[in-house]
Amino acid sequence: MWELTKQFRFEAAHTLKGTTFGEASEEIHGHSFRAEVTVRGTPDPATGMVIDLGLLQRAIEEVRLTLDHKFLNKIEALGTPTLENLSRFVWERLAHVGKLSRVSIHRDSCYESCTYYGPQT
């Protein structure tokens, strides 16, 4: 079994109400995010690949454009723009690619990350 991980970055702003950070969190503020998308499987005997990285890259680029330089609170399908919801949101938009194992969202400047494992098929 192999796991293959591809990363992408995006910049976005949000507000979060009701946290212990108080006003600092409630004001519009931005972060640099790094996402890791991991697929898991056995390489296809014909191609030698778990997944065609070109197909994965195209799907990732669509998600990145949805999030990059956006106000996350306005993305209805995301819900409250937490790390938890971001990781689930990315998973749901990449599920059609297949073989997803996990999606992690990092805010490296805050030393925070969240990993979503989603429904395993």
Side-chain angles (χ1 to χ4, degrees):
M1 193 63 60
W2 286 257
E3 283 191 332
L4 184 64
T5 300
K6 191 144 182 73
Q7 296 183 18
F8 68 98
R9 294 186 177 276
F10 62 96
E11 309 288 329
H14 69 161
T15 64
L16 291 174
K17 296 186 187 303
T19 74
T20 56
F21 293 115
E23 285 183 24
S25 187
E26 292 177 8
E27 295 290 327
I28 295 175
H29 60 282
H31 296 283
S32 295
F33 294 93
R34 179 172 50 92
E36 292 182 346
V37 177
T38 302
V39 295
R40 181 183 175 110
T42 304
D44 180 294
T47 65
M49 298 182 288
V50 172
I51 192 168
D52 181 327
L53 285 175
L55 295 175
L56 182 58
Q57 178 60 39
R58 279 188 230 150
I60 284 173
E61 184 60 13
E62 289 180 28
V63 175
R64 190 191 69 75
L65 290 173
T66 300
L67 299 171
D68 192 37
H69 287 87
K70 301 294 191 292
F71 182 50
L72 299 177
N73 295 71
K74 288 187 174 183
I75 300 175
E76 192 172 311
L78 177 59
T80 305
T82 61
L83 288 173
E84 294 86 347
N85 283 337
L86 277 167
S87 57
R88 176 198 44 81
F89 179 86
V90 171
W91 175 288
E92 290 172 351
R93 267 122 200 100
L94 295 176
H96 70 279
V97 173
K99 300 186 180 185
L100 281 180
S101 173
R102 65 181 176 268
V103 171
S104 298
I105 305 293
H106 303 264
R107 281 193 307 237
D108 293 333
S109 62
C110 300
Y111 305 103
E112 300 167 338
S113 68
C114 182
T115 300
Y116 181 68
Y117 292 90
Q120 301 297 304
T121 56

